[in-house]
Amino acid sequence: MENFRTYIHSLIDLSEEGWMALRPALTTARYKKGHCLLQEGQVCNKLFFISTGYCRAFYRKGEQEVNTNFFFESEIATNNDSFWTGEKSKFSIQACENISTVILDRSILLKAGQENHEIATLGRLCLHQTAAKLESHASLFKLMTAQERYGYLEKHNPVMLQRVPLNQLSSYLGIARETISRIRSRRS
Amino acid sequence: MENFRTYIHSLIDLSEEGWMALRPALTTARYKKGHCLLQEGQVCNKLFFISTGYCRAFYRKGEQEVNTNFFFESEIATNNDSFWTGEKSKFSIQACENISTVILDRSILLKAGQENHEIATLGRLCLHQTAAKLESHASLFKLMTAQERYGYLEKHNPVMLQRVPLNQLSSYLGIARETISRIRSRRS
DNA sequence: CTCTTTTTGTGACGATCGTCACTTGTGTCA
DNA sequence: TGACACAAGTGACGATCGTCACAAAAAGAG
């Protein structure tokens, strides 16, 4: 919960009134490893602020699962698209460890945003932040080869390499598990 | 300009008051083929609604240019990241044909958004829309092979294949120009 | 209408990366 | 402690795709 205050402060200097308006939208929850915060086909009606642990977002493609995102401590796990438009989500979000979260409720947040200006801005900043994360990851694929992508992650997000098993990183980087393993051995 | 009204209506049912608040932010302009609407290193302080013609967004990577996006009629060309945060843009946006545009000024829009609720919502919807476009294109790379990506574009955005020359599509799809050419001939 | 530039198509070849099969750790649980 | 599941390393092989080189076609410019 302290993490959460720090996170909000990093986005906006929220007044006491703003905090009061935000509070009704908040709850906390813990989930076990393997639990799905969001299921494919559901509408994403919550933002999950991750206090401890991490999650993954994945599409199903035929028999396989393709990871498109990971959410670690002090990040917001959500499907932006579904959350803001109310459409059904095309992917799922699942806890990869036991996690504890701060949950922001969609309908309360939207209502609060209509009445309180700071909350509306906060919503936009959240949206922007998660979108920016997606965009920067997307550009990896357009600008870099497989090796370069791995190198980039090694430099800019080493935590991910340490915590996420290779078979899950594989689809995230668009590189076969074996190939990642070989890139590693070439490096050392 | 009529396109523009239609576009706005597709996002939000703007009241007469809302239109009045929006109007001061608007101007129109024409640019010649080759002109840069946004230069790498500048702050993106305008949204360009494309009335006619199309543009491309591109990064410079060493000697090469890598196209990350195309903007056609009734789309908004911008660098979301730079526009909303005020940071310098890492890529440029250039007219690929002679274009006519409706321009939304950043500072006027932000001010209008603070005073008028509809404008704030409109801003968020624009942000969301352009972000969604980026995300869906990004997922192409994680979910599909080169051939499938081409096939997807053929199905969901045939206009792009018709209007954009292969050497520019190449970097956008992450496929060599020659390979695209071969995929084409295999199909027919 | 020519000349030039740009765009597209094709062939040959090699590098990269994915797939399959198997081995080697590294827990985790009863 | 052994049994089992899961993660990671490794070798062999083939498919895909990028690169280079050149030809054909189309589009612009004067």
Side-chain angles (χ1 to χ4, degrees), chain A residues 28-31 49-54 97-102:
Chain A
T28 62
R30 291 167 179 278
Y31 298 101
F49 174 85
I50 310 294
S51 298
T52 63
Y54 80 96
E97 299 176 348
N98 294 335
I99 62 174
S100 64
T101 63
V102 178

Side-chain angles (χ1 to χ4, degrees), chain A:
Chain A
M1 198 65 181
E2 199 46 45
N3 285 350
F4 182 69
R5 294 187 75 96
T6 309
Y7 173 77
I8 296 295
H9 267 300
S10 77
L11 289 180
I12 190 174
D13 192 11
L14 207 56
S15 69
E16 202 47 46
E17 195 187 335
W19 279 105
M20 295 296 283
L22 184 59
R23 187 160 304 273
L26 305 180
T27 52
T28 62
R30 291 167 179 278
Y31 298 101
K32 285 191 186 166
K33 175 174 175 175
H35 180 261
C36 276
L37 304 181
L38 172 65
Q39 293 260 14
E40 177 189 349
Q42 291 180 338
V43 174
C44 181
N45 52 19
K46 293 167 181 167
L47 300 179
F48 296 92
F49 174 85
I50 310 294
S51 298
T52 63
Y54 80 96
C55 311
R56 69 187 181 110
F58 64 97
Y59 283 84
R60 286 164 27 88
K61 192 199 177 188
E63 301 292 283
Q64 304 213 336
E65 292 178 353
V66 179
N67 296 318
T68 53
N69 215 339
F70 292 99
F71 307 96
F72 291 91
E73 284 84 359
S74 293
E75 292 186 322
I76 295 225
T78 179
N79 178 342
N80 256 337
D81 218 15
S82 174
F83 186 85
W84 292 102
T85 66
E87 290 165 11
K88 289 179 183 173
S89 175
K90 288 174 192 151
F91 61 81
S92 304
I93 298 179
Q94 185 188 40
C96 295
E97 299 176 348
N98 294 335
I99 62 174
S100 64
T101 63
V102 178
I103 300 178
L104 293 87
D105 182 83
R106 181 170 183 263
S107 59
I108 302 179
L109 199 62
L110 289 180
K111 212 169 284 175
Q114 298 226 326
E115 289 156 14
N116 184 303
H117 207 277
E118 288 179 322
I119 302 298
T121 303
L122 181 61
R124 203 198 66 220
L125 291 169
C126 275
L127 168 58
H128 175 261
Q129 193 175 65
T130 54
K133 185 182 166 193
L134 283 169
E135 183 177 356
S136 78
H137 183 248
S139 69
L140 292 189
F141 287 84
K142 293 174 211 161
L143 296 170
M144 305 182 191
T145 66
Q147 295 212 42
E148 292 172 323
R149 290 202 292 280
Y150 181 87
Y152 185 89
L153 209 63
E154 203 173 27
K155 194 170 185 176
H156 294 84
N157 211 340
V159 175
M160 198 182 287
L161 294 184
Q162 287 157 21
R163 292 178 69 178
V164 179
L166 283 198
N167 54 28
Q168 288 192 17
L169 264 184
S170 166
S171 58
Y172 179 73
L173 283 173
I175 312 177
R177 186 184 59 75
E178 296 90 333
T179 304
I180 300 183
S181 180
R182 288 186 185 107
I183 292 176
R184 273 193 183 167
S185 56
R186 256 177 259 161
R187 296 288 183 95
S188 52

